[in-house]
Amino acid sequence: MQRRQLLQSALALAGASAAPWAFAQSDYPHQPIRWVVPYPAGGGTDVLARTVAEALRGPLGQQIVVDNRPGASTNIGAQLVATAKPDGYTLMSADNALLAFNEHLFSKLPFHPEKDFTYIGGLSRFPLALVVNPAFEAKTLKDFLAYARANPGKLNYASPGNGSPHHLAMEMFKHRTKTFLTHIPYRGAAPALQDVMGGQVPCMFLDLAAGLPVIQAGKVRALAIGAAQRVAALPDVPTLAEAGVPDTEVYAFQGVVAPAGLPAPITQRLNAEINRALAAPDVVRRMKDFGMEALPGTPEQFRAMARAESKRWGEIIRAAGVKLD
Protein backbone atom coordinates (compact mmCIF):
# COMPACT_ATOMS: atom_id res chain seq x y z
CA MET A 1 0.00 0.00 0.00
CA GLN A 2 2.80 2.38 0.92
CA ARG A 3 4.64 1.54 -2.32
CA ARG A 4 1.49 2.26 -4.36
CA GLN A 5 1.04 5.62 -2.66
CA LEU A 6 4.67 6.54 -3.33
CA LEU A 7 4.31 5.60 -7.01
CA GLN A 8 1.12 7.64 -7.35
CA SER A 9 2.80 10.63 -5.71
CA ALA A 10 5.79 10.38 -8.04
CA LEU A 11 3.55 10.19 -11.12
CA ALA A 12 1.54 13.16 -9.91
CA LEU A 13 4.69 15.22 -9.43
CA ALA A 14 6.00 14.25 -12.88
CA GLY A 15 2.69 15.17 -14.46
CA ALA A 16 2.62 18.50 -12.67
CA SER A 17 6.13 19.40 -13.82
CA ALA A 18 5.46 18.32 -17.43
CA ALA A 19 2.04 19.93 -17.67
CA PRO A 20 3.13 23.54 -18.42
CA TRP A 21 5.50 22.44 -21.19
CA ALA A 22 2.94 20.01 -22.61
CA PHE A 23 0.42 22.85 -22.62
CA ALA A 24 2.93 25.13 -24.30
CA GLN A 25 3.40 22.58 -27.07
CA SER A 26 -0.32 21.93 -27.60
CA ASP A 27 -1.01 25.67 -27.59
CA TYR A 28 1.82 26.42 -30.06
CA PRO A 29 2.15 29.03 -31.36
CA HIS A 30 0.64 31.54 -28.93
CA GLN A 31 2.97 34.48 -29.66
CA PRO A 32 4.84 35.95 -32.66
CA ILE A 33 7.71 33.94 -34.15
CA ARG A 34 11.12 35.38 -35.01
CA TRP A 35 12.67 34.16 -38.29
CA VAL A 36 16.38 34.99 -38.43
CA VAL A 37 17.86 35.57 -41.89
CA PRO A 38 21.68 35.66 -41.80
CA TYR A 39 21.86 37.96 -44.82
CA PRO A 40 20.92 41.59 -45.55
CA ALA A 41 17.37 42.48 -46.51
CA GLY A 42 16.48 42.35 -50.18
CA GLY A 43 18.51 39.34 -51.29
CA GLY A 44 17.13 36.02 -52.51
CA THR A 45 17.31 34.37 -49.07
CA ASP A 46 15.50 37.29 -47.46
CA VAL A 47 12.79 37.42 -50.14
CA LEU A 48 12.14 33.68 -49.89
CA ALA A 49 11.94 33.82 -46.08
CA ARG A 50 9.46 36.70 -46.18
CA THR A 51 7.39 34.97 -48.87
CA VAL A 52 7.10 31.73 -46.89
CA ALA A 53 6.60 33.59 -43.61
CA GLU A 54 3.63 35.43 -45.08
CA ALA A 55 2.14 32.13 -46.28
CA LEU A 56 2.55 30.66 -42.77
CA ARG A 57 0.92 33.54 -40.94
CA GLY A 58 -2.65 32.37 -41.59
CA PRO A 59 -2.22 28.65 -40.78
CA LEU A 60 -0.16 29.36 -37.66
CA GLY A 61 -2.30 32.27 -36.56
CA GLN A 62 0.68 34.39 -35.56
CA GLN A 63 2.87 37.07 -37.07
CA ILE A 64 6.31 35.92 -38.21
CA VAL A 65 8.89 38.69 -37.89
CA VAL A 66 11.94 38.43 -40.16
CA ASP A 67 15.10 39.50 -38.32
CA ASN A 68 18.09 40.14 -40.62
CA ARG A 69 21.40 39.32 -38.88
CA PRO A 70 24.07 39.33 -41.61
CA GLY A 71 27.78 38.86 -41.17
CA ALA A 72 30.66 36.40 -40.81
CA SER A 73 29.39 34.07 -43.53
CA THR A 74 26.10 33.46 -41.62
CA ASN A 75 27.90 32.73 -38.33
CA ILE A 76 26.49 35.77 -36.49
CA GLY A 77 22.90 34.74 -37.07
CA ALA A 78 23.71 31.08 -36.52
CA GLN A 79 25.25 31.65 -33.10
CA LEU A 80 22.23 33.70 -32.07
CA VAL A 81 19.86 30.88 -33.00
CA ALA A 82 22.05 28.08 -31.63
CA THR A 83 21.90 29.65 -28.15
CA ALA A 84 18.19 30.57 -28.24
CA LYS A 85 15.49 28.71 -26.30
CA PRO A 86 14.19 25.69 -28.25
CA ASP A 87 10.54 26.64 -27.93
CA GLY A 88 9.58 27.17 -31.59
CA TYR A 89 9.69 30.96 -31.43
CA THR A 90 13.12 31.32 -33.04
CA LEU A 91 13.63 29.94 -36.54
CA MET A 92 16.39 30.53 -39.09
CA SER A 93 16.99 30.34 -42.82
CA ALA A 94 19.86 27.90 -43.27
CA ASP A 95 21.81 27.43 -46.49
CA ASN A 96 24.98 25.85 -47.86
CA ALA A 97 27.20 28.22 -45.90
CA LEU A 98 25.76 27.34 -42.50
CA LEU A 99 25.04 23.65 -43.00
CA ALA A 100 27.71 22.48 -45.47
CA PHE A 101 30.60 24.93 -45.87
CA ASN A 102 31.51 26.71 -42.66
CA GLU A 103 32.56 23.70 -40.61
CA HIS A 104 35.28 23.17 -43.23
CA LEU A 105 36.10 26.83 -43.91
CA PHE A 106 36.62 27.87 -40.27
CA SER A 107 39.05 26.24 -37.86
CA LYS A 108 36.75 26.95 -34.92
CA LEU A 109 33.03 27.64 -34.80
CA PRO A 110 30.98 28.47 -31.68
CA PHE A 111 28.42 25.87 -32.81
CA HIS A 112 28.22 22.66 -34.85
CA PRO A 113 25.64 22.49 -37.65
CA GLU A 114 24.72 18.88 -36.90
CA LYS A 115 24.54 19.07 -33.09
CA ASP A 116 23.30 22.57 -32.30
CA PHE A 117 20.25 22.85 -34.57
CA THR A 118 16.95 21.11 -35.10
CA TYR A 119 16.40 20.55 -38.81
CA ILE A 120 12.80 21.46 -39.68
CA GLY A 121 12.69 21.15 -43.47
CA GLY A 122 13.90 22.33 -46.85
CA LEU A 123 12.68 25.42 -48.67
CA SER A 124 14.34 25.54 -52.07
CA ARG A 125 17.37 24.91 -54.18
CA PHE A 126 18.58 26.60 -57.31
CA PRO A 127 21.45 25.67 -59.61
CA LEU A 128 24.41 27.84 -60.52
CA ALA A 129 25.38 28.48 -64.12
CA LEU A 130 28.79 29.24 -65.58
CA VAL A 131 28.35 32.57 -67.36
CA VAL A 132 30.65 34.78 -69.41
CA ASN A 133 30.56 38.30 -70.74
CA PRO A 134 28.84 38.24 -74.17
CA ALA A 135 32.01 39.57 -75.83
CA PHE A 136 34.20 36.79 -74.41
CA GLU A 137 35.54 34.62 -77.21
CA ALA A 138 34.36 31.29 -75.77
CA LYS A 139 30.91 30.47 -77.13
CA THR A 140 30.63 26.98 -75.65
CA LEU A 141 31.98 25.19 -72.60
CA LYS A 142 34.38 23.29 -74.86
CA ASP A 143 35.76 26.62 -76.11
CA PHE A 144 35.99 27.91 -72.53
CA LEU A 145 38.01 24.90 -71.38
CA ALA A 146 40.33 25.16 -74.37
CA TYR A 147 40.97 28.83 -73.57
CA ALA A 148 41.53 28.13 -69.85
CA ARG A 149 43.99 25.33 -70.57
CA ALA A 150 45.88 27.46 -73.09
CA ASN A 151 46.07 30.34 -70.59
CA PRO A 152 46.60 28.81 -67.13
CA GLY A 153 46.19 31.38 -64.36
CA LYS A 154 45.43 34.20 -66.78
CA LEU A 155 41.66 33.71 -66.82
CA ASN A 156 40.01 35.55 -63.91
CA TYR A 157 36.64 34.74 -62.41
CA ALA A 158 34.43 36.77 -60.07
CA SER A 159 32.48 35.68 -57.01
CA PRO A 160 30.44 37.37 -54.27
CA GLY A 161 33.21 36.54 -51.81
CA ASN A 162 35.52 33.89 -50.41
CA GLY A 163 33.64 30.78 -49.35
CA SER A 164 30.44 31.68 -51.21
CA PRO A 165 28.63 28.96 -53.18
CA HIS A 166 29.72 30.75 -56.37
CA HIS A 167 33.39 30.64 -55.33
CA LEU A 168 33.26 27.00 -54.29
CA ALA A 169 31.33 26.01 -57.43
CA MET A 170 34.24 27.27 -59.49
CA GLU A 171 36.69 25.44 -57.23
CA MET A 172 34.78 22.23 -57.89
CA PHE A 173 34.75 23.00 -61.62
CA LYS A 174 38.52 23.61 -61.57
CA HIS A 175 39.06 20.40 -59.64
CA ARG A 176 36.98 18.34 -62.09
CA THR A 177 38.49 19.90 -65.24
CA LYS A 178 42.12 20.24 -64.04
CA THR A 179 42.15 23.95 -64.95
CA PHE A 180 43.63 26.96 -63.15
CA LEU A 181 41.61 30.19 -62.97
CA THR A 182 42.34 33.17 -60.73
CA HIS A 183 39.73 34.15 -58.14
CA ILE A 184 38.61 37.78 -57.84
CA PRO A 185 36.36 38.00 -54.74
CA TYR A 186 33.85 40.87 -54.43
CA ARG A 187 31.73 42.15 -51.57
CA GLY A 188 28.47 40.65 -52.75
CA ALA A 189 26.86 39.18 -55.85
CA ALA A 190 25.70 42.50 -57.34
CA PRO A 191 29.15 44.10 -57.86
CA ALA A 192 30.60 40.78 -59.07
CA LEU A 193 27.87 40.39 -61.66
CA GLN A 194 28.15 44.05 -62.65
CA ASP A 195 31.82 43.61 -63.53
CA VAL A 196 31.16 40.44 -65.52
CA MET A 197 28.46 42.25 -67.48
CA GLY A 198 30.85 45.17 -67.96
CA GLY A 199 33.72 42.95 -69.13
CA GLN A 200 36.13 43.80 -66.31
CA VAL A 201 36.10 40.09 -65.34
CA PRO A 202 35.19 37.55 -68.01
CA CYS A 203 33.28 34.91 -66.07
CA MET A 204 31.70 33.63 -62.86
CA PHE A 205 29.33 31.02 -61.51
CA LEU A 206 25.98 32.74 -61.08
CA ASP A 207 22.95 31.49 -59.16
CA LEU A 208 19.71 31.57 -61.09
CA ALA A 209 17.88 33.31 -58.24
CA ALA A 210 19.87 36.44 -59.12
CA GLY A 211 21.00 35.65 -62.63
CA LEU A 212 18.03 34.37 -64.61
CA PRO A 213 16.82 37.83 -65.77
CA VAL A 214 20.28 38.97 -66.94
CA ILE A 215 20.87 35.67 -68.75
CA GLN A 216 17.52 35.91 -70.50
CA ALA A 217 18.25 39.55 -71.38
CA GLY A 218 21.57 38.57 -73.00
CA LYS A 219 23.67 40.63 -70.58
CA VAL A 220 25.73 37.51 -69.83
CA ARG A 221 25.94 34.23 -71.76
CA ALA A 222 25.35 30.95 -69.92
CA LEU A 223 27.69 28.20 -71.10
CA ALA A 224 26.41 25.41 -68.86
CA ILE A 225 24.31 24.89 -65.77
CA GLY A 226 25.17 22.83 -62.70
CA ALA A 227 21.91 20.92 -62.53
CA ALA A 228 21.00 17.27 -63.08
CA GLN A 229 18.65 18.31 -65.89
CA ARG A 230 18.22 21.35 -68.10
CA VAL A 231 16.24 24.21 -66.61
CA ALA A 232 12.89 24.94 -68.26
CA ALA A 233 13.59 28.69 -68.29
CA LEU A 234 16.88 28.10 -70.18
CA PRO A 235 16.16 25.12 -72.46
CA ASP A 236 19.12 25.76 -74.76
CA VAL A 237 21.72 25.79 -71.98
CA PRO A 238 23.26 22.33 -71.46
CA THR A 239 24.07 20.87 -68.09
CA LEU A 240 27.72 20.62 -67.14
CA ALA A 241 27.48 16.85 -67.56
CA GLU A 242 26.04 17.21 -71.06
CA ALA A 243 28.83 19.64 -71.91
CA GLY A 244 31.51 17.17 -70.83
CA VAL A 245 32.04 17.83 -67.10
CA PRO A 246 30.31 15.07 -65.12
CA ASP A 247 29.82 14.93 -61.34
CA THR A 248 29.65 18.71 -61.07
CA GLU A 249 26.15 19.50 -59.86
CA VAL A 250 26.29 22.85 -58.05
CA TYR A 251 23.22 24.07 -56.22
CA ALA A 252 22.54 26.64 -53.56
CA PHE A 253 19.97 25.28 -51.11
CA GLN A 254 17.93 26.78 -48.30
CA GLY A 255 15.91 25.37 -45.46
CA VAL A 256 14.72 26.13 -41.95
CA VAL A 257 16.36 25.21 -38.64
CA ALA A 258 15.71 25.98 -34.98
CA PRO A 259 17.80 25.56 -31.80
CA ALA A 260 18.66 21.99 -30.87
CA GLY A 261 16.12 20.32 -28.61
CA LEU A 262 12.97 21.60 -30.29
CA PRO A 263 10.14 19.25 -29.21
CA ALA A 264 9.06 16.79 -31.89
CA PRO A 265 5.40 17.95 -32.01
CA ILE A 266 6.49 21.54 -32.79
CA THR A 267 9.03 20.35 -35.36
CA GLN A 268 6.38 18.24 -37.07
CA ARG A 269 3.83 21.06 -37.04
CA LEU A 270 6.26 23.54 -38.59
CA ASN A 271 7.45 21.01 -41.17
CA ALA A 272 3.88 20.23 -42.26
CA GLU A 273 2.94 23.91 -42.55
CA ILE A 274 6.13 24.78 -44.46
CA ASN A 275 5.51 21.95 -46.93
CA ARG A 276 1.97 23.23 -47.47
CA ALA A 277 3.24 26.79 -47.89
CA LEU A 278 5.69 25.69 -50.60
CA ALA A 279 2.72 24.45 -52.64
CA ALA A 280 0.73 27.69 -52.26
CA PRO A 281 0.18 29.46 -55.63
CA ASP A 282 1.76 32.77 -54.52
CA VAL A 283 4.85 31.00 -53.20
CA VAL A 284 5.16 28.82 -56.31
CA ARG A 285 4.94 31.90 -58.54
CA ARG A 286 7.50 33.85 -56.53
CA MET A 287 9.94 30.96 -56.51
CA LYS A 288 9.54 30.48 -60.25
CA ASP A 289 10.36 34.18 -60.76
CA PHE A 290 13.64 33.56 -58.91
CA GLY A 291 14.48 30.32 -60.70
CA MET A 292 14.05 28.34 -57.48
CA GLU A 293 12.93 24.74 -57.12
CA ALA A 294 10.82 23.87 -54.06
CA LEU A 295 12.47 21.44 -51.64
CA PRO A 296 9.68 19.94 -49.50
CA GLY A 297 10.25 16.85 -47.39
CA THR A 298 10.69 15.58 -43.87
CA PRO A 299 13.14 16.94 -41.28
CA GLU A 300 15.13 13.71 -41.64
CA GLN A 301 15.41 14.15 -45.41
CA PHE A 302 16.59 17.73 -45.04
CA ARG A 303 19.21 16.74 -42.45
CA ALA A 304 20.45 13.85 -44.62
CA MET A 305 20.77 16.10 -47.67
CA ALA A 306 22.64 18.79 -45.73
CA ARG A 307 25.08 16.30 -44.21
CA ALA A 308 25.72 14.71 -47.61
CA GLU A 309 26.42 18.17 -49.04
CA SER A 310 28.80 18.89 -46.16
CA LYS A 311 30.79 15.75 -46.96
CA ARG A 312 30.85 16.49 -50.69
CA TRP A 313 31.91 20.12 -50.34
CA GLY A 314 34.35 19.38 -47.53
CA GLU A 315 36.43 17.36 -49.98
CA ILE A 316 36.51 20.26 -52.46
CA ILE A 317 37.33 22.86 -49.78
CA ARG A 318 40.22 20.77 -48.46
CA ALA A 319 41.55 20.10 -51.97
CA ALA A 320 41.41 23.83 -52.80
CA GLY A 321 42.92 24.86 -49.46
CA VAL A 322 40.21 27.48 -48.87
CA LYS A 323 40.08 28.92 -45.33
CA LEU A 324 38.22 31.91 -43.89
CA ASP A 325 40.23 32.35 -40.67
Side-chain angles (χ1 to χ4, degrees):
M1 188 71 178
Q2 186 178 13
R3 183 181 299 173
R4 181 182 299 174
Q5 289 174 338
L6 287 171
L7 179 61
Q8 289 174 341
S9 298
L11 290 174
L13 285 171
S17 63
W21 184 230
F23 174 78
Q25 292 181 51
S26 64
D27 192 41
Y28 176 84
H30 58 79
Q31 66 187 53
I33 298 169
R34 176 172 62 166
W35 186 323
V36 175
V37 173
Y39 292 102
T45 300
D46 178 71
V47 170
L48 179 61
R50 292 176 188 275
T51 300
V52 176
E54 179 63 24
L56 291 174
R57 185 173 64 174
L60 292 178
Q62 291 290 340
Q63 184 180 9
I64 301 178
V65 180
V66 173
D67 182 5
N68 296 92
R69 295 297 182 102
S73 189
T74 75
N75 289 340
I76 291 175
Q79 186 173 8
L80 174 70
V81 174
T83 56
K85 187 177 180 180
D87 55 6
Y89 295 101
T90 301
L91 309 178
M92 181 180 183
S93 291
D95 64 356
N96 308 56
L98 171 59
L99 300 181
F101 297 164
N102 286 359
E103 62 184 298
H104 309 291
L105 291 170
F106 292 88
S107 300
K108 291 183 179 180
L109 286 176
F111 56 84
H112 191 281
E114 186 174 19
K115 299 175 182 177
D116 293 324
F117 297 103
T118 298
Y119 288 64
I120 294 173
L123 289 177
S124 75
R125 70 174 187 173
F126 40 92
L128 282 74
L130 177 59
V131 302
V132 297
N133 179 274
F136 187 63
E137 63 182 71
K139 306 301 180 186
T140 66
L141 187 63
K142 183 179 179 181
D143 295 339
F144 183 89
L145 287 172
Y147 183 94
R149 287 166 178 153
N151 299 276
K154 296 180 181 179
L155 182 57
N156 296 335
Y157 73 93
S159 89
N162 289 312
S164 64
H166 315 66
H167 172 208
L168 297 178
M170 187 64 86
E171 292 299 329
M172 177 179 281
F173 177 82
K174 289 164 55 180
H175 184 72
R176 298 280 192 264
T177 59
K178 305 293 191 293
T179 52
F180 175 39
L181 287 76
T182 300
H183 183 209
I184 308 296
Y186 285 75
R187 291 180 178 270
L193 177 57
Q194 191 66 40
D195 272 9
V196 173
M197 291 190 296
Q200 286 81 9
V201 183
C203 63
M204 70 180 293
F205 265 94
L206 179 64
D207 65 272
L208 292 193
L212 188 58
V214 298
I215 294 172
Q216 292 173 327
K219 296 179 180 179
V220 294
R221 180 169 62 251
L223 300 181
I225 193 162
Q229 298 177 338
R230 295 195 183 198
V231 173
L234 301 170
D236 297 328
V237 179
T239 66
L240 284 166
E242 288 176 326
V245 185
D247 301 321
T248 314
E249 292 184 20
V250 283
Y251 289 91
F253 71 81
Q254 297 179 34
V256 181
V257 299
L262 187 68
I266 295 179
T267 302
Q268 292 161 4
R269 170 83 189 278
L270 288 169
N271 174 263
E273 296 297 356
I274 287 171
N275 285 337
R276 275 191 281 270
L278 293 176
D282 287 348
V283 176
V284 171
R285 176 183 54 79
R286 199 70 187 271
M287 292 179 68
K288 185 177 179 181
D289 290 344
F290 276 84
M292 296 177 177
E293 171 191 346
L295 199 64
T298 65
E300 294 76 19
Q301 288 171 331
F302 180 48
R303 174 189 283 271
M305 183 209 71
R307 299 317 300 163
E309 285 292 280
S310 175
K311 181 179 179 181
R312 185 168 76 107
W313 286 103
E315 295 171 357
I316 296 299
I317 291 167
R318 286 189 293 273
V322 182
K323 280 291 183 183
L324 296 185
D325 56 8

